[in-house]
């Protein structure tokens, strides 16, 4: 029964990580989706390239850290705390590194 609870917690942690990563990514991707002035700079590749990668990374980073800590220390609450910290660091790294390309509004 204990393994079933830990498995469900891992799945919940992965789903929560994917949702949080996508919600942190969405405001920066909005510029590429709407296209700026008169929709001239629309780049929908953020939806079919970046969105799946962000969701996959948001799910796999905390799940992998959670499994590694759980296997080594066998303490579920400590593993959840370390996984939440890894998710926070991953989102911080994403937001400090990834910025969609934005062309100048007026090319004169």
């Amino acid at each position: 029964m204990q393994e079933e609870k830990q498995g469900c917690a891992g799945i919940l942690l992965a789903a929560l990580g994917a949702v949080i990563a996508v919600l942190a990514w969405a405001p920066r991707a909005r510029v590429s989706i709407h296209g700026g002035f008169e929709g001239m700079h629309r780049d929908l590749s953020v939806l079919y390239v970046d969105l799946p990668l962000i969701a996959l990374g948001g799910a796999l980073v905390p799940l992998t850290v959670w499994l590694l800590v759980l296997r080594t220390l066998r303490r579920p609450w400590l593993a959840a705390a370390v996984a939440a910290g890894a998710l926070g660091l991953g989102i911080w790294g994403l937001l400090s590194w990834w910025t969609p390309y934005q062309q100048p509004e007026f090319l004169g």
Side-chain angles (χ1 to χ4, degrees):
M1 186 67 172
Q2 185 69 13
E3 290 87 15
E4 292 174 1
K5 288 181 183 179
Q6 290 176 355
C8 290
I11 292 172
L12 181 66
L13 186 64
L16 188 65
V19 168
I20 290 173
V22 168
L23 288 177
W25 165 84
R28 290 194 177 189
R30 182 179 53 143
V31 174
S32 296
I33 294 170
H34 289 296
F37 180 71
E38 292 184 355
M40 292 177 57
H41 307 294
R42 182 173 286 177
D43 180 20
L44 296 180
S45 69
V46 296
L47 293 178
Y48 58 83
V49 174
D50 295 342
L51 177 62
L53 291 174
I54 297 296
L56 186 66
L60 290 180
V61 167
L63 182 62
T64 303
V65 170
W66 183 76
L67 285 173
L68 288 173
V69 174
L70 189 63
R71 299 282 180 197
T72 57
L73 299 178
R74 303 202 190 288
R75 304 213 185 259
W77 295 107
L78 181 62
V82 172
L87 177 64
L89 284 174
I91 289 175
W92 172 77
L94 167 74
L95 293 179
S96 65
W97 173 73
W98 184 81
T99 303
Y101 175 71
Q102 296 178 12
Q103 292 180 347
E105 285 292 328
F106 301 104
L107 298 175

